[in-house]
Every structure is written in C-alpha cells, then in structure tokens.
Amino acid sequence: MISMITTTAAPLFRRAVFQQTRLAFRNNNMSTTAASASDIISSLSSSTPLVGTDIELAVTSLANADAVCFDVDSTVIQEEGIDVLADFLGKGEEVSALTKQAMEGNTKFEDALRQRLDLLRPSKADIESCLQKHPLQKSPGVTDFIASLQKSGKDVFLVSGGFRIMIEGLANDLHISKKNIYANTILFDKEGMYTGFDDSEFTSADMGKPKAVKYLETTFGYDTIVMIGDGATDAQAKPPAKAFIGYGGVVERSAVKEKADWFVTDFDSLTHVVDKFAVNNKKK
C-alpha cells in the first residue's frame, strides 16, 4: 500500500525539487507573480487535511497543465451513465454489480463493457428516451472548475469508458468540443437497433485511458497533462499523465485514494488553484 500524506497549514514535502519549483500565475490577465508549490498549498484551506501521495506534484501540475482530462461517470456527473440506462431498461441490479467490479479493478474493463452491453442491448431510441427522461446530473462545482480551466487556456478532454452518445450533450453544456471526447461508440443498424460497440476506441479496453492520454501528448505536444477521475482506470492514466487527482465526491474508492497524488471530494480547491496560480501554456 502506498503511504498517504496528510497536509495542513504546515505542508510536508516528499520531493525537495518541488520546494524550488516556481510558477507564474496570472492576475486578471495583467501581471504575473512567482509562486512555489508551498505557496499554492499554503493558500488552500487548512480546515481539512489534504490527502494524497504527492500533493506538491498535483498542485504544480494542475497550475502548469496545458491539458486536463476528466473521467465522466461519478466525476463530471453524479452517477454512472450505464447504470442510469440500465435502471431505465429494468436491468439495474445486474449491470450495477458489473460496473462496480470494473471501477474497483476486479474485472478487465473490456470484459465488463461487453457483459453489460450484452445484457442491455440498448437501441438508439432507448438511449435518447432515457436521457430525455433522466438528464445526467453534473457534480457540484464541476461547471465552474471546467470554465476556469478553459478561461486559463487549458484544453479540456472527456476521457471516459462511458458512451459517446450519452456524453455529447453533456460536453455541449460544458462548452467542450465533440473532438475532445474519447469514449465508447455504440453501434446501431439502420433501424437504430443495437449491434455492438466499436472496439477500436481507446477506452473500450483495459489500459485504454493511458493510451488516450499518450495519444493527446504525442498529437498535440502537451508537456503537462493531468487526469481527474474516481476509478481504477483513471489512476492507470499516470503515466503518461504527469499527475492523477482522485475524485471522491460521488463515491470514495480505497484503491483510488491510495494511488492519487491528490484526493479530493469536491472541485472547490481545484478551482482555487487554477484561478490563482494557473499558467497559460495553450498549444492546441
């Protein structure tokens, strides 16, 4: 088990190099001021201890990131999209059990994905009706956090094991281009009936998220990518992601908490870091 670091007003540093890291942050787009990792951490609220294996790395990576990747289910939204669809189709319990196994890393993702879709066999009309009657609920604070990232010039991607057809509307609400969605594509015939899924998508298989992040790094020349998510598949994205921030605002998973450079249960502290210390490294 990876030992955890808890940090209050007097932060503990495991890596001396980050004590020397200097970052520039923007002040109303008019001036810059030097800020160290200790400056960033000490600016965070001391009422709740910070938790993570390398908090200095996480905060400096977030401030200096040129791209941030989000998981969607139980991170950007407050539920698992496939579970919402399964409940709508009357197969919630069976699918929820398989989803839990996948998120906790007890089943290969591609196996769980195939098993769940074979149970559901959703038509295009089923999915559209589900989203109309049960709109996906965003996690508190995520809209403001993503807006802050975008305002600071950081590219935002949705890298999800969920379904593109269910995510596109959410992305539109968050002003994220469809080009910035890396998710699973459900296949339909000309009548809109389920025929399978596209197994060439990065996130259709285990270790798909690190492959997606590596693709982004290589394609766009990003120096610093941060991955944020609630599941074991999100933790796999580091490396190539420089830092992994675990999110437990919907569900806390012990395996994720143990691997996260920084583990949070809301987006407020992340928004604070970006608003106060972000460096604009926009490349795309």
Side-chain angles (χ1 to χ4, degrees):
M1 178 180 294
I2 299 174
S3 61
M4 306 298 292
I5 296 174
T6 58
T7 309
T8 55
L12 300 176
F13 295 99
R14 297 192 333 167
R15 296 187 180 184
V17 64
F18 282 102
Q19 292 177 325
Q20 305 302 318
T21 299
R22 308 303 293 177
L23 298 173
F25 73 87
R26 299 159 71 202
N27 182 9
N28 297 323
N29 297 318
M30 294 176 63
S31 64
T32 61
T33 305
S36 67
S38 60
D39 291 333
I40 299 173
I41 292 175
S42 63
S43 75
L44 297 168
S45 172
S46 61
S47 60
T48 303
L50 304 181
V51 176
T53 63
D54 201 336
I55 296 166
E56 317 84 58
L57 173 65
V59 298
T60 54
S61 295
L62 181 60
N64 203 44
D66 32 30
V68 177
C69 298
F70 287 83
D71 178 36
V72 175
D73 297 325
S74 295
T75 301
V76 175
I77 62 173
Q78 299 181 63
E79 56 262 302
E80 296 287 325
I82 195 169
D83 290 346
V84 173
L85 180 60
D87 286 339
F88 179 73
L89 296 176
K91 298 181 180 179
E93 290 186 9
E94 303 100 307
V95 169
S96 182
L98 291 169
T99 298
K100 184 177 180 181
Q101 291 175 15
M103 290 300 98
E104 293 181 350
N106 297 323
T107 302
K108 282 189 176 181
F109 186 83
E110 58 264 39
D111 294 336
L113 178 62
R114 182 171 287 103
Q115 290 168 357
R116 289 178 291 177
L117 283 174
D118 285 346
L119 273 173
L120 295 177
R121 301 190 66 82
S123 67
K124 189 174 184 179
D126 286 336
I127 297 173
E128 291 171 347
S129 180
C130 174
L131 291 174
Q132 183 178 19
K133 295 179 180 179
H134 302 281
L136 300 176
Q137 301 299 307
K138 299 183 195 71
S139 294
V142 73
T143 300
D144 289 342
F145 177 43
I146 289 175
S148 290
L149 290 169
Q150 292 166 331
K151 183 178 179 181
S152 70
K154 302 181 188 303
D155 292 329
V156 176
F157 295 87
L158 302 178
V159 182
S160 173
F163 306 125
R164 185 179 299 275
I165 190 174
M166 298 185 73
I167 293 172
E168 287 180 344
L170 174 73
N172 184 63
D173 289 345
L174 294 168
H175 307 290
I176 297 171
S177 169
K178 289 183 180 180
K179 297 184 300 181
N180 288 23
I181 300 172
Y182 292 83
N184 285 301
T185 300
I186 298 178
L187 304 176
F188 306 101
D189 63 20
K190 61 183 180 182
E191 281 79 36
M193 302 306 292
Y194 172 78
T195 61
F197 65 93
D198 183 354
D199 62 8
S200 70
E201 295 279 11
F202 290 122
T203 57
S204 68
D206 196 41
M207 296 302 292
K209 291 187 179 182
K211 291 178 183 177
V213 172
K214 185 63 178 179
Y215 171 81
L216 295 175
E217 180 183 65
T218 301
T219 302
F220 300 113
Y222 294 131
D223 294 318
T224 303
I225 300 176
V226 174
M227 182 74 207
I228 301 174
D230 74 296
T233 58
D234 305 309
Q236 290 175 344
K238 180 197 171 187
K242 287 293 194 302
F244 168 57
I245 298 176
Y247 178 72
V250 177
V251 57
E252 292 192 19
R253 309 184 197 278
S254 59
V256 173
K257 201 170 187 178
E258 290 167 4
K259 294 176 181 177
D261 296 307
W262 186 12
F263 187 81
V264 300
T265 55
D266 61 57
F267 290 106
D268 294 346
S269 55
L270 306 186
T271 303
H272 168 82
V273 170
V274 173
D275 284 346
K276 298 297 182 181
F277 301 100
V279 176
N280 190 329
N281 292 324
K282 191 171 182 64
K283 293 184 177 183
K284 188 178 169 203

